[in-house]
Amino acid sequence: VQLQASGGGLVQAGGSLRLSCAASGGTFSDYSMGWFRQAPGKEREVVAGINRSGGNSDYVDSVKGRFTISRDNAKNTVYLQMNSLKPEDTAVYYCAARATPYIRRYFLRSDEYDYWGQGTQVTVSS
């Protein structure tokens, strides 16, 4: 499966952005999806994961209550709605996919994912 992330940009602290990740080349509903980010000089970290149907998800503590992951299987797209953005959210954001037979399962480790998008830059100014 191929993944194309979009929606990044420059926003002031307190603002919002919605990232999208469009998938092609596979049956989207067969894949659990995740969002990760990597800030300059730091390791890639998980932001959120969502299961195949979209009913189960989890987040890294630093974004809970501010970010929402969702998916539209009819549109082969996963989203990350980011509200109340902070300068420390500045990073390149990546979407990732993993095929799984378990419909309820989501994944939160980068080594659990098989496919990655190219990344989209999010910059939050103070």
mmCIF file of all heavy atoms in Angstrom, residues 94-115:
data_model
loop_
_atom_site.group_PDB
_atom_site.id
_atom_site.type_symbol
_atom_site.label_atom_id
_atom_site.label_comp_id
_atom_site.label_asym_id
_atom_site.label_seq_id
_atom_site.Cartn_x
_atom_site.Cartn_y
_atom_site.Cartn_z
ATOM 1 N N TYR A 94 4.205 11.691 10.083
ATOM 2 C CA TYR A 94 4.154 10.564 9.166
ATOM 3 C C TYR A 94 2.936 9.699 9.470
ATOM 4 O O TYR A 94 2.615 9.447 10.634
ATOM 5 C CB TYR A 94 5.394 9.682 9.323
ATOM 6 C CG TYR A 94 6.704 10.367 9.042
ATOM 7 C CD1 TYR A 94 7.393 11.030 10.048
ATOM 8 C CD2 TYR A 94 7.260 10.341 7.763
ATOM 9 C CE1 TYR A 94 8.601 11.664 9.802
ATOM 10 C CE2 TYR A 94 8.477 10.969 7.507
ATOM 11 C CZ TYR A 94 9.124 11.619 8.529
ATOM 12 O OH TYR A 94 10.331 12.237 8.267
ATOM 13 N N CYS A 95 2.301 9.208 8.413
ATOM 14 C CA CYS A 95 1.284 8.187 8.612
ATOM 15 C C CYS A 95 1.889 6.821 8.295
ATOM 16 O O CYS A 95 2.864 6.728 7.543
ATOM 17 C CB CYS A 95 0.051 8.441 7.758
ATOM 18 S SG CYS A 95 0.353 8.559 5.990
ATOM 19 N N ALA A 96 1.317 5.800 8.886
ATOM 20 C CA ALA A 96 1.840 4.452 8.727
ATOM 21 C C ALA A 96 0.686 3.458 8.708
ATOM 22 O O ALA A 96 -0.389 3.732 9.256
ATOM 23 C CB ALA A 96 2.801 4.124 9.866
ATOM 24 N N ALA A 97 0.938 2.312 8.087
ATOM 25 C CA ALA A 97 -0.105 1.290 7.943
ATOM 26 C C ALA A 97 0.458 -0.079 8.254
ATOM 27 O O ALA A 97 1.628 -0.379 7.973
ATOM 28 C CB ALA A 97 -0.661 1.312 6.512
ATOM 29 N N ARG A 98 -0.413 -0.910 8.808
ATOM 30 C CA ARG A 98 -0.032 -2.299 9.063
ATOM 31 C C ARG A 98 -1.250 -3.177 8.821
ATOM 32 O O ARG A 98 -2.306 -2.956 9.417
ATOM 33 C CB ARG A 98 0.458 -2.491 10.488
ATOM 34 C CG ARG A 98 0.639 -3.988 10.793
ATOM 35 C CD ARG A 98 0.926 -4.253 12.215
ATOM 36 N NE ARG A 98 0.799 -5.679 12.500
ATOM 37 C CZ ARG A 98 1.612 -6.344 13.298
ATOM 38 N NH1 ARG A 98 2.619 -5.711 13.895
ATOM 39 N NH2 ARG A 98 1.431 -7.621 13.521
ATOM 40 N N ALA A 99 -1.098 -4.159 7.954
ATOM 41 C CA ALA A 99 -2.164 -5.126 7.727
ATOM 42 C C ALA A 99 -2.279 -6.032 8.940
ATOM 43 O O ALA A 99 -1.266 -6.480 9.486
ATOM 44 C CB ALA A 99 -1.883 -5.950 6.475
ATOM 45 N N THR A 100 -3.501 -6.281 9.371
ATOM 46 C CA THR A 100 -3.717 -7.150 10.508
ATOM 47 C C THR A 100 -5.053 -7.864 10.358
ATOM 48 O O THR A 100 -6.018 -7.275 9.878
ATOM 49 C CB THR A 100 -3.695 -6.366 11.828
ATOM 50 O OG1 THR A 100 -4.022 -7.253 12.913
ATOM 51 C CG2 THR A 100 -4.705 -5.224 11.822
ATOM 52 N N PRO A 101 -5.135 -9.127 10.779
ATOM 53 C CA PRO A 101 -6.427 -9.823 10.737
ATOM 54 C C PRO A 101 -7.327 -9.448 11.913
ATOM 55 O O PRO A 101 -8.511 -9.796 11.933
ATOM 56 C CB PRO A 101 -6.021 -11.300 10.800
ATOM 57 C CG PRO A 101 -4.741 -11.289 11.558
ATOM 58 C CD PRO A 101 -4.045 -10.016 11.153
ATOM 59 N N TYR A 102 -6.791 -8.716 12.868
ATOM 60 C CA TYR A 102 -7.522 -8.382 14.090
ATOM 61 C C TYR A 102 -8.187 -7.020 13.953
ATOM 62 O O TYR A 102 -7.526 -5.993 14.006
ATOM 63 C CB TYR A 102 -6.586 -8.403 15.291
ATOM 64 C CG TYR A 102 -5.848 -9.712 15.417
ATOM 65 C CD1 TYR A 102 -4.496 -9.799 15.153
ATOM 66 C CD2 TYR A 102 -6.532 -10.878 15.769
ATOM 67 C CE1 TYR A 102 -3.827 -11.001 15.244
ATOM 68 C CE2 TYR A 102 -5.873 -12.081 15.869
ATOM 69 C CZ TYR A 102 -4.515 -12.139 15.596
ATOM 70 O OH TYR A 102 -3.856 -13.338 15.693
ATOM 71 N N ILE A 103 -9.499 -6.999 13.817
ATOM 72 C CA ILE A 103 -10.198 -5.767 13.494
ATOM 73 C C ILE A 103 -10.152 -4.761 14.631
ATOM 74 O O ILE A 103 -10.226 -3.551 14.412
ATOM 75 C CB ILE A 103 -11.644 -6.060 13.060
ATOM 76 C CG1 ILE A 103 -12.242 -4.839 12.368
ATOM 77 C CG2 ILE A 103 -12.493 -6.526 14.242
ATOM 78 C CD1 ILE A 103 -13.529 -5.115 11.635
ATOM 79 N N ARG A 104 -9.997 -5.210 15.871
ATOM 80 C CA ARG A 104 -10.009 -4.299 17.007
ATOM 81 C C ARG A 104 -8.622 -3.749 17.363
ATOM 82 O O ARG A 104 -8.502 -2.868 18.194
ATOM 83 C CB ARG A 104 -10.570 -4.998 18.239
ATOM 84 C CG ARG A 104 -12.012 -5.427 18.107
ATOM 85 C CD ARG A 104 -12.468 -6.159 19.358
ATOM 86 N NE ARG A 104 -13.839 -6.622 19.231
ATOM 87 C CZ ARG A 104 -14.887 -5.912 19.589
ATOM 88 N NH1 ARG A 104 -14.718 -4.706 20.101
ATOM 89 N NH2 ARG A 104 -16.103 -6.398 19.449
ATOM 90 N N ARG A 105 -7.613 -4.257 16.733
ATOM 91 C CA ARG A 105 -6.242 -3.989 17.164
ATOM 92 C C ARG A 105 -5.718 -2.695 16.574
ATOM 93 O O ARG A 105 -5.906 -2.413 15.383
ATOM 94 C CB ARG A 105 -5.366 -5.161 16.730
ATOM 95 C CG ARG A 105 -3.985 -5.133 17.237
ATOM 96 C CD ARG A 105 -3.864 -5.608 18.676
ATOM 97 N NE ARG A 105 -2.534 -5.276 19.163
ATOM 98 C CZ ARG A 105 -1.485 -6.071 19.025
ATOM 99 N NH1 ARG A 105 -1.639 -7.248 18.453
ATOM 100 N NH2 ARG A 105 -0.313 -5.677 19.450
ATOM 101 N N TYR A 106 -5.042 -1.890 17.392
ATOM 102 C CA TYR A 106 -4.264 -0.771 16.882
ATOM 103 C C TYR A 106 -2.846 -0.925 17.428
ATOM 104 O O TYR A 106 -2.606 -1.688 18.357
ATOM 105 C CB TYR A 106 -4.863 0.585 17.277
ATOM 106 C CG TYR A 106 -5.079 0.767 18.751
ATOM 107 C CD1 TYR A 106 -4.046 1.126 19.601
ATOM 108 C CD2 TYR A 106 -6.341 0.567 19.303
ATOM 109 C CE1 TYR A 106 -4.252 1.272 20.958
ATOM 110 C CE2 TYR A 106 -6.553 0.713 20.658
ATOM 111 C CZ TYR A 106 -5.513 1.067 21.488
ATOM 112 O OH TYR A 106 -5.712 1.200 22.828
ATOM 113 N N PHE A 107 -1.931 -0.181 16.852
ATOM 114 C CA PHE A 107 -0.516 -0.350 17.165
ATOM 115 C C PHE A 107 0.105 1.012 17.464
ATOM 116 O O PHE A 107 -0.243 2.013 16.828
ATOM 117 C CB PHE A 107 0.206 -1.025 15.990
ATOM 118 C CG PHE A 107 -0.377 -2.352 15.631
ATOM 119 C CD1 PHE A 107 -1.385 -2.449 14.685
ATOM 120 C CD2 PHE A 107 0.061 -3.509 16.248
ATOM 121 C CE1 PHE A 107 -1.949 -3.673 14.360
ATOM 122 C CE2 PHE A 107 -0.496 -4.732 15.931
ATOM 123 C CZ PHE A 107 -1.505 -4.815 14.987
ATOM 124 N N LEU A 108 1.031 1.001 18.411
ATOM 125 C CA LEU A 108 1.610 2.268 18.865
ATOM 126 C C LEU A 108 3.128 2.279 18.813
ATOM 127 O O LEU A 108 3.742 3.218 19.314
ATOM 128 C CB LEU A 108 1.139 2.565 20.299
ATOM 129 C CG LEU A 108 -0.371 2.756 20.462
ATOM 130 C CD1 LEU A 108 -0.731 2.929 21.925
ATOM 131 C CD2 LEU A 108 -0.863 3.950 19.649
ATOM 132 N N ARG A 109 3.733 1.270 18.214
ATOM 133 C CA ARG A 109 5.196 1.249 18.074
ATOM 134 C C ARG A 109 5.555 1.337 16.614
ATOM 135 O O ARG A 109 4.943 0.675 15.768
ATOM 136 C CB ARG A 109 5.784 -0.014 18.691
ATOM 137 C CG ARG A 109 5.609 -0.136 20.171
ATOM 138 C CD ARG A 109 6.646 -1.093 20.785
ATOM 139 N NE ARG A 109 7.102 -2.105 19.881
ATOM 140 C CZ ARG A 109 6.755 -3.394 19.970
ATOM 141 N NH1 ARG A 109 5.938 -3.771 20.937
ATOM 142 N NH2 ARG A 109 7.228 -4.286 19.122
ATOM 143 N N SER A 110 6.576 2.102 16.298
ATOM 144 C CA SER A 110 6.940 2.285 14.895
ATOM 145 C C SER A 110 7.380 0.972 14.260
ATOM 146 O O SER A 110 7.128 0.750 13.064
ATOM 147 C CB SER A 110 8.050 3.331 14.767
ATOM 148 O OG SER A 110 9.198 2.946 15.481
ATOM 149 N N ASP A 111 7.984 0.075 15.030
ATOM 150 C CA ASP A 111 8.455 -1.180 14.442
ATOM 151 C C ASP A 111 7.319 -2.161 14.172
ATOM 152 O O ASP A 111 7.550 -3.239 13.626
ATOM 153 C CB ASP A 111 9.536 -1.826 15.309
ATOM 154 C CG ASP A 111 9.061 -2.197 16.702
ATOM 155 O OD1 ASP A 111 7.886 -1.940 17.033
ATOM 156 O OD2 ASP A 111 9.873 -2.731 17.478
ATOM 157 N N GLU A 112 6.107 -1.795 14.551
ATOM 158 C CA GLU A 112 4.949 -2.638 14.253
ATOM 159 C C GLU A 112 4.320 -2.299 12.905
ATOM 160 O O GLU A 112 3.398 -2.982 12.471
ATOM 161 C CB GLU A 112 3.897 -2.487 15.362
ATOM 162 C CG GLU A 112 4.354 -3.050 16.705
ATOM 163 C CD GLU A 112 3.326 -2.844 17.805
ATOM 164 O OE1 GLU A 112 2.879 -1.695 17.989
ATOM 165 O OE2 GLU A 112 2.983 -3.828 18.481
ATOM 166 N N TYR A 113 4.787 -1.247 12.273
ATOM 167 C CA TYR A 113 4.198 -0.797 11.014
ATOM 168 C C TYR A 113 5.081 -1.183 9.830
ATOM 169 O O TYR A 113 6.309 -1.185 9.923
ATOM 170 C CB TYR A 113 3.976 0.718 11.037
ATOM 171 C CG TYR A 113 2.789 1.102 11.880
ATOM 172 C CD1 TYR A 113 2.915 1.340 13.241
ATOM 173 C CD2 TYR A 113 1.520 1.197 11.303
ATOM 174 C CE1 TYR A 113 1.822 1.662 14.015
ATOM 175 C CE2 TYR A 113 0.417 1.530 12.071
ATOM 176 C CZ TYR A 113 0.580 1.765 13.424
ATOM 177 O OH TYR A 113 -0.509 2.079 14.190
ATOM 178 N N ASP A 114 4.404 -1.481 8.716
ATOM 179 C CA ASP A 114 5.091 -1.963 7.522
ATOM 180 C C ASP A 114 5.217 -0.911 6.430
ATOM 181 O O ASP A 114 6.121 -0.982 5.602
ATOM 182 C CB ASP A 114 4.348 -3.172 6.947
ATOM 183 C CG ASP A 114 4.249 -4.309 7.957
ATOM 184 O OD1 ASP A 114 5.284 -4.665 8.544
ATOM 185 O OD2 ASP A 114 3.136 -4.820 8.160
ATOM 186 N N TYR A 115 4.287 0.031 6.399
ATOM 187 C CA TYR A 115 4.238 0.999 5.307
ATOM 188 C C TYR A 115 4.200 2.408 5.892
ATOM 189 O O TYR A 115 3.498 2.657 6.876
ATOM 190 C CB TYR A 115 3.006 0.752 4.425
ATOM 191 C CG TYR A 115 2.950 -0.641 3.861
ATOM 192 C CD1 TYR A 115 2.201 -1.628 4.497
ATOM 193 C CD2 TYR A 115 3.660 -0.979 2.714
ATOM 194 C CE1 TYR A 115 2.166 -2.919 4.000
ATOM 195 C CE2 TYR A 115 3.621 -2.263 2.206
ATOM 196 C CZ TYR A 115 2.879 -3.231 2.855
ATOM 197 O OH TYR A 115 2.846 -4.496 2.359
#
